[in-house]
Amino acid sequence: MESAGDIIEELRKLIAGKVTQEVGSYLQDRWPLLTFSDEEIGKALFAVKPSNVEDVARLVGFANEKKIALYTRGGGSSVTGASIPLGGVVVDMTAMNQVLDVDETNRTVTVEAGIKLNEIEAKLNQKGFTLGQVPQSFELATIGGFMSTMGTGEYSTSHGGIEDTVLRLEVVLPSGQTIWTKNRGAPRSSVGPDLAKLFLGSEGAFGIICTAELKIRKVSQHVLKAAYMFADLQTGMGAIMRLMELDVLPSVCRLYSDVDARLQFGEGTPTLLLIYEFNSESVYQATREEVSEIVEAEGVPAGPELVDKWLEERFRFREQNDRIKAMGLVADTIEVASKWSRVLDLYYDVTSKLSETEGVTAVGAHVSHMYHQGACLYFTVLFKPEKDLYWSIWNMVSDIAQRHDATISHHHGVGILKKQFAKKEVPQEFLHLLKDAIDPKGILNPQKFI
Ligand SMILES: Cc1cc2nc3c(=O)[nH]c(=O)nc-3n(C[C@H](O)[C@H](O)[C@H](O)COP(=O)(O)OP(=O)(O)OC[C@H]3O[C@@H](n4cnc5c(N)ncnc54)[C@H](O)[C@@H]3O)c2cc1C
């Protein structure tokens, strides 16, 4: 059996990227449980920072031959423990951080997987384009991690989730072989299944994504911002459904419960924020009138300043967490989604059950993403930093989600946190068949979700 030192020496000769035994910063991610419990889950022998796809292929081929576990890491912004290594070697993708091409005619951008979302957006904005994927972790998450956890951003009603943005991917498979999920750049193809989808949401278990070709759009010239208050959440949801029914689809649509509205805006009334984006001025004008007519039937205008306040503060999660910590509490976020016929009951069941749990001090919620078929409810739960309480909160929500046909993870992925709950949602045997066929030695992210 070779020592870690020998393996490091061999790797240093094999690849151009950095190999380091300083692994401390990789042993945690942003899973809230680890901020207050004494859990020490993360373990790694050393970390490798590949410089290019050839490095990744050589590294994976080497690991396959020697049966070494590899844990791929992007920005480490997972809130579920997905980016925590459980032994073996960390593959830090952040040195692969270039925009390789912006194709203005065909509206595509090609990027390396370790680039952060805000860096892609800044490069595109300089040329008048946008990717439109803006999660709250915009300044932390890499595109590779965002794809691997099936992320989605605040502008999802018009830009969709990451699955709507990906055209094709370049991936290094566990064998060390490199493939493009499609050899041609056509906008759509019915030649076989869309293999890119295999890697979206698979949390690094099937391959290491190295390059992505993604859809982009022109930055909008006209932006409409509006905010409304409602007597209750149900009436606000009715307004959202009416907007959808009439195809007056906003880019951003967030409906806050009274508790969440108080936390966000200091107003304890259910509040709806809308942002619309247009390139045509006449469509903008017409939509403005239509939105007022539809929403003001039951909502009271609250002024676009609330939208500006939200835009200004939306990435300030560190300050929010510090304030909560100073109160001796912890916050976790739970994003469940269900169909329209169940969303309201899901909301009431989660809020009432958690609110009556000892140690829970506040339960806020907002409708964060909406679809013709249903919506995502994003709960923020403030509670005493106790491990048993933490797990009882998650178990309760998992049971309620199951009763309401809801998914336990709309966009944060599975990681370690939701592994046991995810088993109830997806056919495990089939996933394991796939894993065994693609990665028979189990070298990519072993002991994780798949
Ligand atoms: C404050 C905050 C707000 C957030 N808001 C949102 C939000 O609005 N929307 C949302 O969707 N998520 C959100 N998240 C969750 C998190 O940002 C996402 O899961 C994110 O996309 C992960 O990207 P990352 O680069 O940090 O990946 P990491 O955390 O490093 O990794 C996540 C998973 O992806 C795998 N992975 C990473 N890169 C690759 C690659 N190149 N190839 C194969 N596998 C890879 C890892 O092995 C791991 O399983 C938030 C997180 C925080 C802390």
Side-chain angles (χ1 to χ4, degrees), residues 86-136:
L86 302 176
V89 176
V90 175
V91 185
D92 175 345
M93 295 297 288
T94 56
M96 291 174 60
N97 56 12
Q98 298 301 305
V99 171
L100 301 175
D101 180 49
V102 180
D103 183 337
E104 299 192 22
T105 311
N106 299 305
R107 307 279 155 101
T108 63
V109 64
T110 305
V111 294
E112 291 185 302
I115 188 170
K116 285 189 184 160
L117 291 170
N118 64 339
E119 293 164 355
I120 303 177
E121 193 64 20
K123 286 260 163 64
L124 288 174
N125 288 174
Q126 282 167 10
K127 293 176 183 275
F129 289 92
T130 176
L131 186 68
Q133 292 294 337
V134 186
Q136 201 198 9

Coordinates of all heavy atoms in Angstrom, one line a residue, residues 86-136:
L86 N -15.4 12.8 2.6 CA -15.5 11.7 3.6 C -14.3 10.8 3.6 O -14.4 9.6 3.6 CB -16.8 10.9 3.4 CG -18.1 11.7 3.5 CD1 -19.3 10.9 3.2 CD2 -18.3 12.4 4.8
G87 N -13.2 11.4 3.4 CA -11.9 10.6 3.2 C -11.4 10.9 1.8 O -12.0 11.6 1.0
G88 N -10.3 10.3 1.4 CA -9.8 10.4 0.0 C -9.3 11.8 -0.3 O -8.8 12.5 0.5
V89 N -9.5 12.1 -1.6 CA -8.9 13.3 -2.1 C -9.9 14.4 -2.6 O -10.9 14.0 -3.2 CB -8.0 12.9 -3.3 CG1 -7.4 14.1 -4.0 CG2 -6.9 12.0 -2.9
V90 N -9.7 15.6 -2.2 CA -10.6 16.7 -2.7 C -10.1 17.2 -4.0 O -8.9 17.4 -4.3 CB -10.6 17.9 -1.7 CG1 -11.4 19.1 -2.2 CG2 -11.0 17.5 -0.3
V91 N -11.1 17.3 -5.0 CA -10.8 17.9 -6.3 C -11.4 19.3 -6.3 O -12.6 19.5 -6.5 CB -11.4 17.0 -7.4 CG1 -10.9 17.6 -8.8 CG2 -11.0 15.6 -7.3
D92 N -10.5 20.3 -6.1 CA -11.0 21.7 -6.0 C -11.0 22.2 -7.4 O -9.9 22.4 -8.0 CB -10.0 22.4 -5.1 CG -10.3 23.9 -5.0 OD1 -11.0 24.4 -5.9 OD2 -9.8 24.6 -4.1
M93 N -12.2 22.6 -7.9 CA -12.3 22.9 -9.3 C -12.1 24.4 -9.6 O -12.2 24.9 -10.7 CB -13.7 22.6 -9.8 CG -14.0 21.1 -9.8 SD -12.9 20.2 -11.0 CE -13.6 20.8 -12.6
T94 N -11.8 25.2 -8.5 CA -11.9 26.7 -8.6 C -10.7 27.3 -9.4 O -10.8 28.5 -9.7 CB -12.0 27.3 -7.2 OG1 -10.8 26.9 -6.5 CG2 -13.2 27.0 -6.5
A95 N -9.7 26.5 -9.8 CA -8.7 27.1 -10.7 C -9.2 27.0 -12.2 O -8.6 27.7 -13.0 CB -7.4 26.4 -10.5
M96 N -10.2 26.3 -12.4 CA -10.8 26.2 -13.8 C -11.9 27.2 -13.8 O -13.1 26.9 -13.6 CB -11.2 24.8 -14.1 CG -10.0 23.8 -14.2 SD -10.5 22.1 -14.5 CE -11.4 22.1 -16.0
N97 N -11.5 28.5 -14.0 CA -12.5 29.5 -13.8 C -12.6 30.6 -14.9 O -12.7 31.8 -14.7 CB -12.1 30.2 -12.4 CG -10.7 30.7 -12.5 OD1 -10.1 30.8 -13.5 ND2 -10.2 31.1 -11.3
Q98 N -12.5 30.1 -16.1 CA -12.5 31.0 -17.3 C -13.8 31.0 -18.1 O -14.4 29.9 -18.2 CB -11.3 30.7 -18.2 CG -10.0 30.8 -17.6 CD -9.7 32.2 -17.1 OE1 -9.8 33.2 -17.8 NE2 -9.4 32.3 -15.8
V99 N -14.2 32.1 -18.6 CA -15.2 32.2 -19.6 C -14.4 31.9 -20.9 O -13.5 32.7 -21.3 CB -15.9 33.6 -19.7 CG1 -16.8 33.7 -20.9 CG2 -16.7 33.8 -18.5
L100 N -14.7 30.8 -21.6 CA -13.9 30.4 -22.8 C -14.5 31.1 -24.1 O -13.7 31.4 -25.0 CB -14.0 28.9 -23.0 CG -13.4 28.1 -21.8 CD1 -13.6 26.6 -22.0 CD2 -12.0 28.4 -21.5
D101 N -15.8 31.3 -24.1 CA -16.3 31.9 -25.3 C -17.7 32.5 -25.1 O -18.5 31.9 -24.4 CB -16.5 30.8 -26.4 CG -17.0 31.3 -27.7 OD1 -16.5 32.3 -28.2 OD2 -18.0 30.7 -28.2
V102 N -17.9 33.7 -25.6 CA -19.3 34.3 -25.7 C -19.7 34.4 -27.1 O -19.1 35.1 -27.9 CB -19.3 35.7 -25.0 CG1 -20.8 36.2 -25.0 CG2 -18.8 35.6 -23.6
D103 N -20.7 33.6 -27.5 CA -21.1 33.6 -28.9 C -22.4 34.5 -29.0 O -23.5 34.0 -28.7 CB -21.4 32.1 -29.3 CG -21.9 32.0 -30.8 OD1 -22.3 33.0 -31.3 OD2 -21.7 30.9 -31.3
E104 N -22.2 35.7 -29.4 CA -23.2 36.7 -29.4 C -24.3 36.4 -30.4 O -25.5 36.7 -30.2 CB -22.7 38.1 -29.6 CG -21.7 38.4 -28.5 CD -21.3 39.9 -28.4 OE1 -22.0 40.7 -29.0 OE2 -20.2 40.2 -27.9
T105 N -23.9 35.8 -31.5 CA -24.9 35.5 -32.6 C -25.8 34.4 -32.2 O -27.1 34.4 -32.3 CB -24.2 35.0 -33.9 OG1 -23.2 36.0 -34.1 CG2 -25.1 34.9 -35.0
N106 N -25.2 33.3 -31.6 CA -26.0 32.1 -31.2 C -26.5 32.1 -29.8 O -27.1 31.1 -29.3 CB -25.3 30.9 -31.6 CG -25.0 30.8 -33.1 OD1 -25.9 30.9 -33.9 ND2 -23.7 30.8 -33.5
R107 N -26.1 33.2 -29.1 CA -26.6 33.3 -27.7 C -26.2 32.2 -26.8 O -27.0 31.5 -26.2 CB -28.1 33.5 -27.6 CG -28.6 34.6 -28.5 CD -28.5 36.0 -27.8 NE -28.4 37.1 -28.8 CZ -29.4 37.9 -29.1 NH1 -30.6 37.7 -28.5 NH2 -29.2 38.8 -29.9
T108 N -24.9 31.9 -26.8 CA -24.4 30.9 -25.8 C -23.1 31.4 -25.2 O -22.4 32.2 -25.7 CB -24.0 29.6 -26.6 OG1 -23.0 29.8 -27.5 CG2 -25.2 29.0 -27.3
V109 N -22.8 30.8 -24.0 CA -21.5 31.1 -23.3 C -20.9 29.8 -23.0 O -21.7 28.8 -22.6 CB -21.7 32.0 -22.1 CG1 -22.6 31.3 -21.0 CG2 -20.4 32.4 -21.5
T110 N -19.6 29.6 -23.1 CA -18.9 28.4 -22.8 C -18.0 28.7 -21.6 O -17.2 29.7 -21.7 CB -18.2 27.8 -24.0 OG1 -19.1 27.6 -25.0 CG2 -17.6 26.5 -23.6
V111 N -18.1 28.0 -20.5 CA -17.4 28.4 -19.3 C -16.7 27.1 -18.7 O -17.2 26.0 -18.9 CB -18.3 29.0 -18.2 CG1 -18.8 30.3 -18.6 CG2 -19.4 28.1 -17.8
E112 N -15.6 27.3 -18.0 CA -15.1 26.2 -17.2 C -15.9 26.1 -15.9 O -16.5 27.1 -15.4 CB -13.6 26.5 -16.8 CG -12.7 26.5 -18.0 CD -11.3 26.6 -17.7 OE1 -10.9 27.7 -17.1 OE2 -10.5 25.8 -18.0
A113 N -16.0 24.9 -15.4 CA -16.9 24.6 -14.3 C -16.6 25.2 -13.0 O -17.5 25.4 -12.1 CB -17.0 23.1 -14.1
G114 N -15.4 25.6 -12.7 CA -15.0 26.2 -11.4 C -15.2 27.7 -11.3 O -14.9 28.3 -10.3
I115 N -15.8 28.3 -12.4 CA -16.0 29.8 -12.3 C -17.3 30.1 -11.5 O -18.3 29.3 -11.5 CB -16.1 30.4 -13.7 CG1 -16.2 31.9 -13.7 CG2 -17.3 29.8 -14.5 CD1 -16.0 32.6 -15.0
K116 N -17.3 31.2 -10.7 CA -18.4 31.5 -9.9 C -19.5 32.2 -10.8 O -19.2 32.8 -11.8 CB -18.0 32.5 -8.8 CG -17.2 31.8 -7.7 CD -17.0 32.7 -6.5 CE -16.2 32.1 -5.5 NZ -15.6 33.1 -4.6
L117 N -20.7 32.0 -10.3 CA -21.9 32.6 -11.1 C -21.8 34.1 -11.3 O -22.0 34.6 -12.3 CB -23.2 32.2 -10.4 CG -23.6 30.7 -10.4 CD1 -24.7 30.5 -9.5 CD2 -23.9 30.3 -11.8
N118 N -21.3 34.8 -10.2 CA -21.2 36.3 -10.3 C -20.2 36.7 -11.3 O -20.3 37.7 -12.0 CB -21.0 36.9 -9.0 CG -19.7 36.6 -8.3 OD1 -19.1 35.6 -8.6 ND2 -19.3 37.4 -7.4
E119 N -19.1 35.8 -11.5 CA -18.1 36.2 -12.4 C -18.5 35.9 -13.9 O -18.2 36.7 -14.7 CB -16.8 35.3 -12.1 CG -16.2 35.7 -10.8 CD -15.2 34.6 -10.3 OE1 -15.1 33.6 -10.9 OE2 -14.6 34.9 -9.2
I120 N -19.3 34.9 -14.1 CA -19.9 34.7 -15.4 C -20.8 35.9 -15.8 O -20.7 36.5 -16.9 CB -20.7 33.4 -15.5 CG1 -19.9 32.2 -15.1 CG2 -21.3 33.2 -16.9 CD1 -20.8 30.9 -15.1
E121 N -21.6 36.2 -14.8 CA -22.6 37.3 -15.1 C -21.9 38.6 -15.4 O -22.3 39.3 -16.3 CB -23.6 37.4 -13.8 CG -24.8 38.2 -14.1 CD -25.8 37.7 -15.1 OE1 -25.7 36.5 -15.4 OE2 -26.6 38.5 -15.6
A122 N -20.9 38.9 -14.6 CA -20.1 40.2 -14.8 C -19.6 40.2 -16.2 O -19.7 41.2 -17.0 CB -19.1 40.3 -13.8
K123 N -19.0 39.1 -16.7 CA -18.4 39.1 -18.0 C -19.4 39.2 -19.1 O -19.3 39.9 -20.1 CB -17.7 37.7 -18.2 CG -16.3 37.6 -17.5 CD -15.2 37.9 -18.5 CE -13.9 38.2 -17.7 NZ -13.3 37.1 -16.9
L124 N -20.6 38.6 -18.9 CA -21.7 38.6 -19.9 C -22.3 40.0 -19.9 O -22.6 40.6 -21.0 CB -22.8 37.6 -19.5 CG -22.4 36.2 -19.8 CD1 -23.5 35.2 -19.3 CD2 -22.2 35.9 -21.3
N125 N -22.5 40.6 -18.7 CA -23.1 42.0 -18.6 C -22.3 43.0 -19.4 O -22.8 43.9 -20.0 CB -23.3 42.4 -17.2 CG -24.4 41.7 -16.4 OD1 -24.5 41.9 -15.2 ND2 -25.1 40.8 -17.1
Q126 N -20.9 42.8 -19.4 CA -20.1 43.8 -20.1 C -20.4 43.8 -21.6 O -20.2 44.7 -22.3 CB -18.6 43.3 -20.0 CG -18.0 43.7 -18.7 CD -16.6 43.0 -18.5 OE1 -16.1 42.4 -19.5 NE2 -16.1 43.1 -17.3
K127 N -20.9 42.6 -22.1 CA -21.3 42.5 -23.5 C -22.8 42.7 -23.8 O -23.3 42.4 -24.9 CB -20.8 41.2 -24.1 CG -19.3 41.0 -24.1 CD -18.9 39.6 -24.6 CE -17.4 39.4 -24.5 NZ -16.7 39.8 -25.7
G128 N -23.5 43.0 -22.7 CA -25.0 43.2 -22.8 C -25.8 41.9 -22.8 O -26.9 41.9 -23.2
F129 N -25.2 40.9 -22.2 CA -25.9 39.6 -22.1 C -26.0 39.2 -20.6 O -25.4 39.7 -19.7 CB -25.2 38.5 -22.9 CG -25.3 38.7 -24.3 CD1 -24.4 39.4 -25.0 CD2 -26.4 38.1 -25.0 CE1 -24.5 39.6 -26.4 CE2 -26.6 38.3 -26.4 CZ -25.6 39.0 -27.1
T130 N -26.9 38.2 -20.4 CA -27.1 37.7 -19.0 C -27.3 36.2 -19.1 O -27.9 35.6 -20.0 CB -28.3 38.3 -18.3 OG1 -28.5 37.7 -17.0 CG2 -29.6 38.2 -19.1
L131 N -26.9 35.5 -18.0 CA -27.2 34.0 -17.9 C -28.5 33.9 -17.1 O -29.2 32.9 -17.3 CB -26.1 33.4 -17.1 CG -26.1 31.9 -16.9 CD1 -25.9 31.2 -18.2 CD2 -25.0 31.4 -15.9
G132 N -28.8 34.9 -16.3 CA -30.1 34.9 -15.6 C -30.2 33.9 -14.4 O -31.3 33.6 -13.9
Q133 N -29.0 33.3 -14.0 CA -29.1 32.4 -12.8 C -28.5 33.1 -11.6 O -27.3 33.3 -11.5 CB -28.3 31.1 -13.1 CG -28.9 30.3 -14.2 CD -30.3 29.7 -13.8 OE1 -30.6 29.5 -12.6 NE2 -31.1 29.3 -14.7
V134 N -29.4 33.6 -10.8 CA -29.0 34.4 -9.6 C -29.5 33.9 -8.3 O -30.5 34.3 -7.8 CB -29.4 35.9 -9.8 CG1 -28.8 36.8 -8.7 CG2 -29.0 36.5 -11.1
P135 N -28.8 32.9 -7.8 CA -29.3 32.4 -6.4 C -28.8 33.3 -5.4 O -28.0 34.2 -5.6 CB -28.5 31.0 -6.4 CG -27.3 31.2 -7.2 CD -27.6 32.1 -8.3
Q136 N -29.2 33.1 -4.1 CA -28.7 33.9 -3.0 C -27.2 33.7 -2.8 O -26.5 34.6 -2.4 CB -29.5 33.6 -1.7 CG -29.4 34.8 -0.8 CD -29.7 34.4 0.7 OE1 -29.9 33.2 1.0 NE2 -29.8 35.4 1.5

